[in-house]
């Protein structure tokens, strides 16, 4: 049996996170890695979500890699295809292609304690060994379906927003759309003009702000291209404004009352019917669930061929949806805009760490990590966008870049110390989480709504409790005292540039 791994890194997933990691490795001159991707193309979320109207609700000049500004964004909020194309171009420009292994779904990863490396197995039977394992699989990749009686009996078309059935033409059909979250509110304005009837099933109304979207004129694109500093200034302004809102989320939720007033005025401007207005106004603090942005949703919901249904669904029958008032609505299709299994994002993968402990088992009572990336008992393992590193207010790509930087700093520090492996100390992970949970208890996400940020026990395991600027600062240099190194370094091998910092 070989003592050394074949590779330095296995990266799992080729979405923004995995691609960002791959580019960072190449920019550091580290070429000994593969990126395993279960699909036949890169892109993650932006490959999978092809529903009509799919676009980013974070401005593209911020929702992009800091090192690869795109002066050609067609709009402030770019559509899905344009974001996917951007990712493809990044893969080409930075030479990632040769490292991508498509149709390679990872099913099992095992830490080899004796040799200090990971074994990674794919569904098709390939196996890789690597010193470091980096997960970029993201929390929003496994669709969540509601548990509704009779779902299997339904004989019309039924699909999830993330698995849009493009062979189904909605024209002149009667469609049930379940959910009114970020995806659904983009879908409604697109299908409303085509369908005969849309029954929109709303369990909880979202807070929706006006969308400051606009086309970026060719003249402005030329300015961005010729003077990149102007685009950087726009990016920094967007980042600062979003972090200011994040400050409200995390420190002073009551200032979000101002946002609520803006949202209510938006409803009053766009919806004529006072009865409908009332049913569209949320009864929880804005920001507790993700604040959405749209200018075309309320006008579409107000159209005569749309029915906003607020009675709960009790059953699906062969060709109908039944609500708890006993009403049965005949439909041709059911579209699930019901979100993702956010706290269940490893499944169906098995990750076995020290002592063969299954991470799904370690996380039985809730997911938990350190700095949103490391997990005690799982050496040399980085989970990009792991527990408590999500955001409700800004660009996830900013978080990914902070995490990639941190991962590389850990690896450089390990090399400088002559260590082959690291593991975060259990007590440091526990202390980190105690602090995170204590801070989260004072934020807007703890003001009483039911959101996907909370797990089955009501614990917020998804969101970073502060602003992105704090996360950036805290990921500049790892605190090596929080890590167990193997072998423990001899002091003489410490490199000046990578000494432990508090
Ligand atoms: P979501 O925001 O979680 O919305 C799911 C919707 O389905 C909610 O309205 C929810 O109601 C409803 N729902 C869930 N289970 C239900 C059930 N059993 N019966 C009735 N209704 C049910 O999901 P999403 O719209 O797919 O978005 C998920 C996340 O993806 C977003 O929060 C965002 O982070 C990301 N996203 C981003 C963009 C973007 O532009 N950047 C676009 C789309 C999605 P309740 O509110 O009552 O739970």
């Amino acid at each position: 049996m070989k003592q050394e791994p074949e590779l330095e890194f296995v990266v799992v997933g080729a979405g923004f996170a995995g691609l960002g990691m791959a580019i960072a490795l190449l920019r550091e001159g580290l070429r000994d890695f593969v990126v395993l991707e279960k699909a036949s193309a890169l892109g993650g979320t932006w490959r999978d979500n092809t529903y009509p109207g799919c676009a980013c609700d974070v401005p593209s000049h911020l929702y992009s890699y800091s090192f690869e500004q795109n002066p050609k964004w067609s709009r402030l909020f770019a559509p899905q295809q344009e974001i996917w194309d951007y990712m493809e171009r990044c893969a080409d420009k930075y030479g990632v292609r040769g490292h991508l292994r498509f149709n390679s779904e990872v099913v099992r990863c095992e830490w080899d304690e004796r040799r200090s490396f990971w074994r990674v197995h794919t569904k098709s039977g390939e196996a890789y060994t690597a010193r470091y394992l980096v997960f970029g699989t993201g929390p929003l990749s496994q669709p969540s379906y509601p548990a509704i009686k009779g779902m299997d009996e339904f004989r019309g078309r039924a699909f999830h927003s993330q698995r849009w059935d493009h062979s189904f033409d909605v024209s002149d059909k009667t469609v049930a759309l379940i959910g009114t979250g970020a995806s659904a509110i983009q879908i409604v304005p697109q299908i409303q003009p085509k369908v005969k009837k849309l029954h929109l099933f709303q369990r909880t109304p979202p807070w929706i702000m006006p969308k400051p979207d606009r086309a970026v004129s060719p003249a402005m694109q030329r300015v961005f291209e010729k003077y990149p500093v102007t685009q950087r200034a726009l990016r920094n302004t967007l980042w600062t404004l979003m972090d200011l809102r994040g400050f409200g989320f995390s420190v002073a939720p009551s200032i979000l009352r101002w946002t609520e007033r803006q949202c209510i005025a938006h409803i009053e401007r766009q919806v004529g019917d006072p009865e409908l207005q009332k049913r569209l106004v949320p009864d929880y603090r804005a920001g507790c669930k993700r604040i959405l942005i749209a200018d075309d949703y309320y006008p579409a919901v107000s159209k005569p061929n749309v029915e906003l249904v607020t009675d709960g669904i009790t059953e699906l029958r062969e060709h109908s949806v039944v609500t708890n008032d006993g009403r049965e609505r005949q439909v041709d299709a059911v579209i699930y805009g019901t979100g993702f299994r956010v706290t269940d994002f490893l499944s169906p993968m098995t990750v076995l760490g020290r002592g063969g402990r299954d991470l799904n088992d370690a996380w039985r009572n809730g997911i938990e990590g350190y700095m949103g990336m490391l997990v005690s008992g799982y050496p040399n393992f980085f989970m990009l966008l792991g527990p408590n590193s999500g955001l409700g207010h800004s660009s996830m790509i900013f978080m990914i870049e902070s995490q990639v930087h941190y991962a590389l700093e850990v690896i450089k520090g390990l090399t400088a110390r002559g260590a082959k492996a690291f593991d975060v100390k259990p007590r440091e992970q526990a202390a980190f989480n105690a602090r995170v949970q204590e801070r989260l208890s004072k934020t807007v996400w703890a003001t009483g709504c039911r959101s996907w940020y909370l797990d089955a026990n009501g614990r917020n395991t998804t969101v970073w409790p502060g602003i992105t600027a704090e996360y950036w600062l805290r990921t500049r240099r790892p605190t090596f005292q929080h890590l167990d190194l193997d072998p423990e370094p001899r002091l003489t091998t410490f490199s000046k540039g990578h000494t432990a910092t508090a």
Side-chain angles (χ1 to χ4, degrees):
M1 180 71 74
K2 277 202 196 142
Q3 295 301 311
E4 292 299 319
E6 299 151 24
L7 296 162
E8 271 302 284
F9 303 89
V10 163
V11 180
V12 184
F16 260 116
L19 185 59
M21 185 73 200
I23 294 172
L25 290 174
L26 291 168
R27 293 175 94 199
E28 287 286 332
L30 301 166
R31 313 194 60 80
D32 196 13
F33 71 93
V34 291
V35 181
L36 304 180
E37 167 56 55
K38 69 176 178 195
S40 53
L42 60 80
T45 278
W46 300 105
R47 174 201 61 224
D48 291 343
N49 284 278
T50 60
Y51 60 77
C54 184
C56 189
D57 61 9
V58 176
S60 300
H61 299 85
L62 180 60
Y63 191 87
S64 43
Y65 294 125
S66 61
F67 54 84
E68 187 56 36
Q69 292 293 285
N70 172 22
K72 296 274 190 215
W73 290 120
S74 66
R75 308 194 65 79
L76 203 48
F77 297 90
Q80 169 258 341
Q81 182 69 49
E82 204 174 322
I83 302 171
W84 192 14
D85 290 346
Y86 165 82
M87 296 174 79
E88 292 277 0
R89 282 201 308 278
C90 288
D92 285 332
K93 177 167 174 183
Y94 291 93
V96 177
R97 292 268 172 221
H99 298 266
L100 293 168
R101 302 288 178 272
F102 291 127
N103 305 308
S104 298
E105 180 173 354
V106 172
V107 287
R108 190 181 169 88
C109 307
E110 303 153 3
W111 173 247
D112 185 324
E113 186 80 54
R114 209 153 60 83
R115 299 180 185 82
S116 292
F117 59 64
W118 284 94
R119 284 173 206 293
V120 180
H121 303 270
T122 67
K123 200 172 182 176
S124 52
E126 287 126 21
Y128 300 84
T129 54
R131 181 74 63 210
Y132 301 101
L133 178 61
V134 183
F135 265 37
T137 46
L140 299 175
S141 61
Q142 309 279 350
S144 166
Y145 293 88
I148 302 174
K149 186 179 152 201
M151 268 171 77
D152 295 339
E153 315 302 320
F154 183 69
R155 291 289 160 258
R157 293 289 185 102
F159 50 90
H160 191 275
S161 58
Q162 191 229 36
R163 311 230 161 130
W164 194 266
D165 181 350
H166 290 278
S167 71
F168 178 69
D169 181 3
V170 296
S171 303
D172 299 320
K173 303 284 190 329
T174 300
V175 174
L177 172 53
I178 304 179
T180 51
S183 305
I185 70 144
Q186 294 181 334
I187 294 168
V188 170
Q190 299 299 314
I191 64 171
Q192 174 276 320
K194 296 183 185 160
V195 296
K196 183 158 94 192
K197 183 86 189 174
L198 173 63
H199 300 291
L200 177 60
F201 291 87
Q202 169 187 280
R203 189 164 67 177
T204 318
W207 284 106
I208 304 179
M209 298 266 289
K211 185 174 185 176
D213 195 16
R214 65 199 61 227
V216 182
S217 67
M220 200 63 223
Q221 291 177 355
R222 279 196 297 277
V223 171
F224 286 151
E225 201 158 19
K226 200 151 179 229
Y227 308 104
V229 68
T230 55
Q231 187 164 353
R232 185 130 326 252
L234 172 63
R235 182 185 176 91
N236 290 343
T237 306
L238 292 167
W239 176 66
T240 308
L241 288 175
M242 293 202 151
D243 248 10
L244 280 177
R245 191 163 70 157
F247 184 75
F249 284 14
S250 49
V251 177
S254 58
I255 65 170
L256 289 153
R257 283 204 188 99
W258 182 77
T259 303
E260 290 169 12
R261 279 200 288 274
Q262 271 190 304
C263 294
I264 290 170
H266 190 38
I267 295 176
E268 287 168 352
R269 264 195 311 272
Q270 294 201 313
V271 180
D273 174 0
E275 268 313 301
L276 183 58
Q277 280 182 4
K278 262 192 231 149
R279 293 194 296 144
L280 290 167
V281 176
D283 63 358
Y284 54 88
R285 174 75 352 119
C288 187
K289 288 168 185 275
R290 188 181 174 90
I291 297 175
L292 310 181
I293 48 171
D295 283 343
D296 49 3
Y297 175 69
Y298 291 135
V301 174
S302 308
K303 290 283 187 304
N305 68 337
V306 179
E307 181 200 19
L308 183 75
V309 186
T310 48
D311 296 298
I313 300 172
T314 50
E315 188 183 349
L316 291 192
R317 294 188 185 149
E318 278 194 10
H319 298 286
S320 61
V321 183
V322 184
T323 43
N324 55 19
D325 56 352
R327 230 184 114 182
E328 183 172 0
R329 291 169 177 84
Q330 300 291 320
V331 297
D332 299 306
V334 173
I335 301 170
Y336 296 100
T338 44
F340 297 89
R341 282 162 37 210
V342 177
T343 53
D344 195 16
F345 57 90
L346 269 186
S347 106
M349 266 181 284
T350 303
V351 180
L352 304 175
R354 286 211 150 125
R357 180 140 198 231
D358 187 339
L359 187 49
N360 285 306
D361 189 40
W363 280 354
R364 210 179 33 242
N365 297 320
I367 65 173
E368 182 175 297
Y370 170 88
M371 287 305 293
M373 270 174 283
L374 312 184
V375 186
S376 187
Y378 298 81
N380 291 12
F381 176 53
F382 299 95
M383 176 174 267
L384 305 176
L385 303 185
N388 291 110
S389 63
L391 295 176
H393 71 281
S394 191
S395 169
M396 289 308 293
I397 297 176
F398 184 88
M399 297 300 269
I400 288 169
E401 284 193 48
S402 299
Q403 296 189 329
V404 165
H405 171 88
Y406 179 93
L408 288 173
E409 286 298 303
V410 169
I411 291 160
K412 286 181 202 167
L414 233 65
T415 312
R417 288 161 169 81
K420 280 188 170 175
F422 73 90
D423 192 7
V424 61
K425 293 175 180 168
R427 69 164 185 277
E428 298 299 346
Q429 180 169 307
F432 175 83
N433 278 285
R435 177 82 188 112
V436 162
Q437 291 303 321
E438 196 229 68
R439 287 178 64 184
L440 282 167
S441 69
K442 300 183 186 105
T443 63
V444 71
W445 304 292
T447 51
C449 72
R450 174 182 53 185
S451 75
W452 62 258
Y453 300 137
L454 310 180
D455 68 12
N457 307 314
R459 204 159 154 263
N460 189 334
T461 53
T462 49
V463 179
W464 172 245
I467 56 174
T468 64
E470 180 199 343
Y471 194 75
W472 180 86
L473 261 178
R474 292 184 64 176
T475 45
R476 290 305 85 195
R477 275 172 171 261
T479 306
F480 278 95
Q481 294 96 317
H482 291 182
L483 308 180
D484 279 322
L485 303 190
D486 182 24
E488 280 301 325
R490 287 170 291 124
L491 282 175
T492 48
T493 63
F494 269 50
S495 113
K496 200 175 169 211
H498 293 101
T499 45
T501 52

